[in-house]
Amino acid sequence: GINAEYMGNGMIEREDFRMVMKDERIKTWLGAIEIEAGSPDLLFDLLDGGDGHITPDQLIQGVGRLKGAARSIDLVALIARAEDLRENLSDLESKIDESFSRLLSTRPSPRSRTACAHREWSL
């Protein structure tokens, strides 16, 4: 069966998930619970916890979260992408703050610049 073939270790990887999603029985099951399965990669990303595989718990919880109106998958995808963007922006903000702090700490103070300029003129 499909479970033994693809989920022997209790988890499913992206490539195996793509193969499973070609199975008409899986497509029928997803259709029956009103989950649009047009993009296996998108569905995998929504079910995956970010570690590159789907556990049985992630599958159960994810399907429960996605089932309903066919367009709810789009909303969940949008929320997931927004969270990714928020994390990326937060990382970028931290890097900019760090760079700016380093720049300020390595810049000579106005007093030392004046002293240097004065010495150059007096040479």
Side-chain angles (χ1 to χ4, degrees), residues 85-102:
L85 286 173
R86 188 197 64 72
E87 288 176 17
N88 290 341
L89 284 174
S90 180
D91 291 346
L92 182 60
E93 181 181 25
S94 295
K95 289 177 183 177
I96 289 171
D97 286 346
E98 289 172 18
S99 295
F100 191 67
S101 293
R102 278 194 307 258

Side-chain angles (χ1 to χ4, degrees), residues 13 26 28 34 44 47 57 61 72 83 88-89 91 97-98 104 107 109-110 115 117:
E13 310 293 321
I26 299 298
T28 301
E34 298 181 18
F44 184 90
L47 297 172
D57 286 341
Q61 290 171 1
S72 68
E83 181 60 25
N88 290 341
L89 284 174
D91 291 346
D97 286 346
E98 289 172 18
L104 289 178
R107 200 175 97 184
S109 68

Side-chain angles (χ1 to χ4, degrees), residues 23-92:
D23 188 296
E24 288 303 318
R25 296 172 292 174
I26 299 298
K27 289 179 183 180
T28 301
W29 173 67
L30 289 172
I33 57 174
E34 298 181 18
I35 293 181
E36 186 179 312
S39 170
D41 285 325
L42 173 60
L43 188 54
F44 184 90
D45 290 341
L46 294 174
L47 297 172
D48 174 31
D51 54 7
H53 60 265
I54 301 170
T55 65
D57 286 341
Q58 287 172 325
L59 181 63
I60 293 165
Q61 290 171 1
V63 167
R65 189 177 74 238
L66 295 174
K67 77 180 200 179
R71 304 314 281 168
S72 68
I73 192 169
D74 296 331
L75 181 57
V76 173
L78 185 59
I79 291 168
R81 301 262 189 259
E83 181 60 25
D84 288 344
L85 286 173
R86 188 197 64 72
E87 288 176 17
N88 290 341
L89 284 174
S90 180
D91 291 346
L92 182 60

